[in-house]
Amino acid sequence: MQVIHAPRLRDVDDPQLKPLAVWAKAYGNELIRLTPDAINAAAALCEVSPDWLQRRLLKLQRF
C-alpha cells in the first residue's frame, strides 16, 4: 500500500498524472491510501504501467 498526501498529488506538473491530480481534489488535505488494486486502476486511468506509477508516487512522497 502506498500513502500520499492529497495536496502533493494535486500539485503535480507531470501531464501523465493529471487524471490523478483531478481525482485527488476530492480528498482535501487528507492522506490517500492506495492499495495494489487502486494503483492498477489509477495506472490504467493515467495510461501508464503500475510499476511506473508506483515509482512516481514514491518520488512524490519524498520531501
Side-chain angles (χ1 to χ4, degrees):
M1 178 180 298
Q2 283 189 271
V3 178
I4 189 161
H5 196 216
R8 290 186 68 91
L9 189 52
R10 283 194 307 267
D11 293 340
V12 297
D13 290 330
D14 188 331
Q16 290 179 293
L17 294 180
K18 285 300 178 188
L20 284 185
V22 171
W23 172 76
K25 289 180 182 179
Y27 284 85
N29 288 325
E30 298 176 36
L31 292 175
I32 300 172
R33 290 164 182 83
L34 296 165
T35 63
D37 286 341
I39 290 172
N40 287 337
L45 178 67
C46 294
E47 298 180 354
V48 298
S49 73
D51 289 337
W52 182 91
L53 181 59
Q54 283 183 307
R55 287 192 306 275
R56 187 65 179 96
L57 292 174
L58 282 173
K59 288 180 183 178
L60 287 174
Q61 289 173 325
R62 296 183 185 129
F63 291 91

